[in-house]
Amino acid sequence: MSRLISYLPNILTSFLPQQPLRSSPHLSPISFSTTWHLLGPFQTGTREATWGADPLESLGGFHSLTYNDTARYHSSLATNGTVGWSILTSDNSFPTPKSPRAELLVRFQNSDWEFLQKVYGWAVLQWQAWVRGTISLHGDKRTTVILYTDQILEFWVDDEPYFGGDFYAYRRAPLVLRLDPGEHRIDVRVIRDVRAMGGVEEPTVSLQLEAEVSEGGLHAVEESLLLPDMVDGRLVSSLGSVNVRNEEDDWIDVLNIESVTVGFVVRMRRDSSLNIAPGQSRPLAFDIATSNVSSVEVSLRILYKIEGLPAVFQIQVMRHVFHPRHRREPQKITYPHPGGIVSYAILRPASEKAVHHSKPGASLPVVLGLHGAGVEADSDLVRHSLDSTPDLRGWVLFPSGVTPWSGDDWHRWGFADVEAAIAAIPVWITTMNWQGPGVDVDRWLVVGHSNGGQGTWYALTHRPDKIIGAAPVSGYSSIQAYVPYHCWHEAHPGIPSIIQTSLSDYRHELLLENACDIPIHQQHGSLDDNVPPSHSRRMNLLLSQIGCPSEYVELPDKGHWFEGVMATQSLLNFYDEILKRHPSEQTAPLSLKLVVMNPGTMGSKGGLVVDQLTAPDLPGLD
């Protein structure tokens, strides 16, 4: 019977019990210590920390060490080759009475970073350290605590290790802890990463811990609520998503999500309930539709059961205000990602002028815009980056890459998001009853800035048959060239060779022959200190050496980003030249060369697809 309650009319479900409260309003607050014990720095290589490589493991690990102001530990990054413990004071605050926050700025001024950088470059500005403090519960009973770990990869609470903190501060899946009253030790592994934190200023790390007392039950992260935009009173897509977290000691079954606003129909995308383990966070995907809706806002609630309890509970109403958009302005569309989640992109349909210049029945290519690291696709920075060129003869699309950091540098599941976004354009055409030109999902003009410029190289070298032109702007050539791997810990040559071979699919410098016969226009600022212009110069040189020249424009006195960077005159000329070409003007090359590092990620070239390699550890050349 409780299963059926979720489908009763709203007037009945409004009488369902609310969230079960598991905490008293008189509960004493949590607090973090203000004094922390710091030990470091120690050497680490580019993205090496996820493999372990902690030098203190040979001593039993940091958690086995106790503070000793006279103890010394070997380190290649410090004067005299040793480091000791030091005292660090955190900046503590209380955003709410029950939510303490501790902010720490970790720096090591006893290391000669300037000299080390002259020898080893940016790679040496990446280091690791450990810092120890406490979190205290001042109540008199066991309490469920939600712990946020911004800019942290790995940590311990008491003697329990946790790998996979919130290094990019997404705050989508914090840790759910059950803590007894008293003081609890927190050991935090501090990792400095140049790609995420920069390589120009002093190599510091700012990290943050924040805790809050749980109220139990199921928690919906309202900041994660993902819904499409509304155009002419109609939703442009039919999918939504919100992250939910189980803060109980028992399993929770999510039964349904529904609208409490007249005119909206909402239901889960699953045929059965969504099961969530204690402490687990999961995205809840749902379908959403409108019928003669006049409201620009919707309120949602979630119905669920706790294992062992007969009642059906509901999460208090979540409210979302839609942003009405004009049919031809950039708008948020949602779609299913191959990983089973709901993702989004920003889509700008062809303008009236572009439609006017198109022949009846024509299909326009996709203008694919890849954003840089740490940038949200729904930000004004991305959404309006091509506003100065409103009449491009194509469908302008800015995929999110799932996250502001495009997941994995626009590679595996980041690039899967690109292709899912492109596949969603025909769905938009049907949904909006579009009467203009269609979309040619197999013809892409790819443009990208910074990490998106690197993603442009990935698209060029992995989907050459689909690319009609490419413009990498201020992009790095590959992560191996951006922040070299030479500060990894020493190993037998056979071990790093395995790692580098597995990463060779992202060494775009080795795959440029796949991009031959595709128009390429590179642009870079001469004063770029974020992605040095040597990256674009190098790619331009390599292309010329294999007989595949590209256009390269270096802008004097310009840095990494400036207003209009994606719409300079040379870029506008390039866009126009590529987009005005008819598909019939593209001819198959008389000969071609195909380089394949991994057949699983490689598309076709000249209609040829490589199924497998004779030697998986060697590139395939044809």
Side-chain angles (χ1 to χ4, degrees):
M1 181 65 181
S2 61
R3 171 73 179 169
L4 299 176
I5 290 178
S6 61
Y7 300 102
L8 294 177
N10 293 338
I11 189 172
L12 294 180
T13 55
S14 63
F15 292 103
L16 293 173
Q18 302 296 311
Q19 286 268 29
L21 296 179
R22 298 288 191 264
S23 60
S24 164
H26 304 295
L27 186 70
S28 299
I30 321 166
S31 65
F32 289 106
S33 58
T34 56
T35 299
W36 297 71
H37 295 150
L38 175 65
L39 180 59
F42 301 101
Q43 179 178 328
T44 190
T46 300
R47 299 181 175 179
E48 185 186 21
T50 54
W51 297 79
D54 178 5
L56 296 179
E57 289 178 357
S58 63
L59 303 176
F62 178 75
H63 66 282
S64 68
L65 303 178
T66 56
Y67 175 74
N68 183 340
D69 60 4
T70 62
R72 306 299 296 178
Y73 304 85
H74 295 288
S75 171
S76 61
L77 300 180
T79 303
N80 294 325
T82 62
V83 297
W85 293 83
S86 58
I87 302 295
L88 185 65
T89 301
S90 60
D91 181 7
N92 289 13
S93 60
F94 284 83
T96 72
K98 294 185 180 181
S99 299
R101 176 186 297 163
E103 299 175 82
L104 296 96
L105 176 63
V106 183
R107 66 201 312 173
F108 295 99
Q109 295 176 306
N110 59 336
S111 294
D112 191 347
W113 298 114
E114 184 177 355
F115 175 75
L116 289 170
Q117 184 179 355
K118 289 179 180 178
V119 179
Y120 299 105
W122 279 355
V124 80
L125 301 183
Q126 302 178 130
W127 47 259
Q128 58 181 314
W130 283 90
V131 62
R132 174 176 296 156
T134 60
I135 179 174
S136 298
L137 270 71
H138 308 296
D140 56 2
K141 62 180 180 180
R142 187 175 177 85
T143 302
T144 300
V145 174
I146 312 302
L147 181 65
Y148 296 91
T149 55
D150 297 0
Q151 282 81 49
I152 296 171
L153 180 70
E154 177 184 356
F155 59 98
W156 291 60
V157 178
D158 293 329
D159 292 319
E160 189 72 27
Y162 296 92
F163 184 84
D166 196 0
F167 191 74
Y168 293 109
Y170 294 137
R171 297 197 151 211
R172 294 181 177 180
L175 181 65
V176 180
L177 293 170
R178 276 79 180 181
L179 298 178
D180 292 320
E183 190 174 82
H184 299 267
R185 193 176 78 178
I186 298 182
D187 291 348
V188 176
R189 189 182 183 192
V190 186
I191 302 295
R192 190 174 196 284
D193 178 74
V194 164
R195 178 184 172 273
M197 303 171 186
V200 178
E201 305 295 335
E202 179 188 357
T204 63
V205 173
S206 296
L207 56 89
Q208 177 178 290
L209 290 161
E210 187 173 327
E212 61 185 35
V213 176
S214 166
E215 294 184 348
L218 185 72
H219 178 79
V221 183
E222 294 195 38
E223 296 81 4
S224 71
L225 182 60
L226 174 61
L227 288 170
D229 278 342
M230 182 178 285
V231 172
D232 300 332
R234 179 186 301 176
L235 295 178
V236 300
S237 305
S238 62
L239 295 182
S241 176
V242 64
N243 291 351
V244 290
R245 180 172 66 245
N246 181 355
E247 298 182 6
E248 287 291 313
D249 292 327
D250 300 299
W251 282 75
I252 281 180
D253 290 339
V254 178
L255 304 177
N256 198 19
I257 181 171
E258 61 186 24
S259 169
V260 297
T261 304
V262 175
F264 288 89
V265 179
V266 176
R267 64 179 178 85
M268 283 177 55
R269 298 212 71 200
R270 301 170 58 92
D271 295 330
S272 60
S273 60
L274 177 68
N275 308 117
I276 308 178
Q280 185 182 28
S281 296
R282 294 188 65 179
L284 172 61
F286 56 87
D287 295 304
I288 181 169
T290 60
S291 58
N292 301 319
V293 65
S294 58
S295 175
V296 294
E297 66 178 64
V298 63
S299 295
L300 307 172
R301 65 181 166 203
I302 300 173
L303 307 179
Y304 68 96
K305 288 191 65 176
I306 301 173
E307 185 179 53
L309 298 179
V312 175
F313 299 96
Q314 68 168 318
I315 287 182
Q316 294 180 354
V317 170
M318 296 176 290
R319 176 174 172 268
H320 176 81
V321 179
F322 291 98
H323 300 285
R325 307 285 183 185
H326 185 272
R327 178 173 288 243
R328 298 185 187 278
E329 73 173 305
Q331 54 200 259
K332 181 189 291 184
I333 62 172
T334 55
Y335 48 85
H337 184 278
I341 62 174
V342 176
S343 188
Y344 84 91
I346 302 300
L347 174 67
R348 190 184 80 184
S351 69
E352 292 184 11
K353 185 176 180 180
V355 170
H356 176 74
H357 287 289
S358 301
K359 296 180 180 180
S363 292
L364 301 179
V366 179
V367 180
L368 188 61
L370 305 182
H371 64 74
V375 181
E376 190 72 61
D378 194 24
S379 65
D380 288 343
L381 195 69
V382 175
R383 183 189 281 263
H384 300 295
S385 60
L386 292 177
D387 279 6
S388 60
T389 176
D391 298 318
L392 290 174
R393 300 180 192 181
W395 295 81
V396 178
L397 183 70
F398 301 105
S400 63
V402 180
T403 74
W405 292 86
S406 56
D408 53 356
D409 296 337
W410 296 110
H411 296 159
R412 302 259 179 148
W413 56 273
F415 199 75
D417 186 67
V418 170
E419 298 184 305
I422 293 173
I425 299 177
V427 179
W428 181 95
I429 290 175
T430 300
T431 299
M432 300 306 296
N433 194 26
W434 173 261
Q435 299 300 312
V439 57
D440 189 339
V441 296
D442 292 322
R443 299 178 68 234
W444 310 347
L445 167 59
V446 187
V447 301
H449 178 265
S450 192
N451 189 40
Q454 177 273 152
T456 301
W457 289 117
Y458 184 84
L460 263 170
T461 54
H462 289 76
R463 296 294 185 273
D465 272 355
K466 294 181 182 293
I467 312 300
I468 60 174
V473 177
S474 306
Y476 57 93
S477 57
S478 66
I479 185 61
Q480 294 94 328
Y482 188 43
V483 189
Y485 280 59
H486 54 240
C487 282
W488 275 53
H489 284 73
E490 289 70 19
H492 183 279
I495 296 176
S497 71
I498 294 173
I499 296 172
Q500 290 304 318
T501 298
S502 68
L503 294 173
S504 61
D505 195 38
Y506 313 129
R507 285 298 305 268
H508 307 128
E509 302 92 336
L510 305 177
L511 303 170
L512 285 178
E513 285 169 307
N514 295 342
C516 276
D517 304 309
I518 300 174
I520 301 173
H521 182 94
Q522 296 176 253
Q523 176 183 288
H524 221 117
S526 66
L527 301 183
D528 191 339
D529 59 3
N530 190 315
V531 178
S534 56
H535 286 271
S536 290
R537 297 169 187 165
R538 178 68 174 167
M539 297 298 268
N540 182 248
L541 169 65
L542 292 175
L543 283 166
S544 68
Q545 288 178 340
I546 59 175
C548 304
S550 65
E551 298 176 359
Y552 175 53
V553 174
E554 189 163 310
L555 304 176
D557 303 321
K558 293 293 185 182
H560 188 62
W561 174 267
F562 55 90
E563 187 173 354
V565 65
M566 302 303 296
T568 61
Q569 191 57 55
S570 65
L571 282 173
L572 295 180
N573 293 341
F574 179 73
Y575 302 157
D576 185 63
E577 178 186 350
I578 298 301
L579 295 174
K580 72 181 180 182
R581 294 180 180 178
H582 192 271
S584 62
E585 297 181 40
Q586 287 184 266
T587 57
L590 297 177
S591 63
L592 58 84
K593 190 168 186 180
L594 181 61
V595 184
V596 180
M597 297 295 184
N598 181 356
T601 61
M602 183 65 195
S604 65
K605 181 177 181 182
L608 300 177
V609 177
V610 174
D611 179 65
Q612 57 185 326
L613 302 176
T614 55
D617 59 333
L618 296 175
L621 302 174
D622 188 14

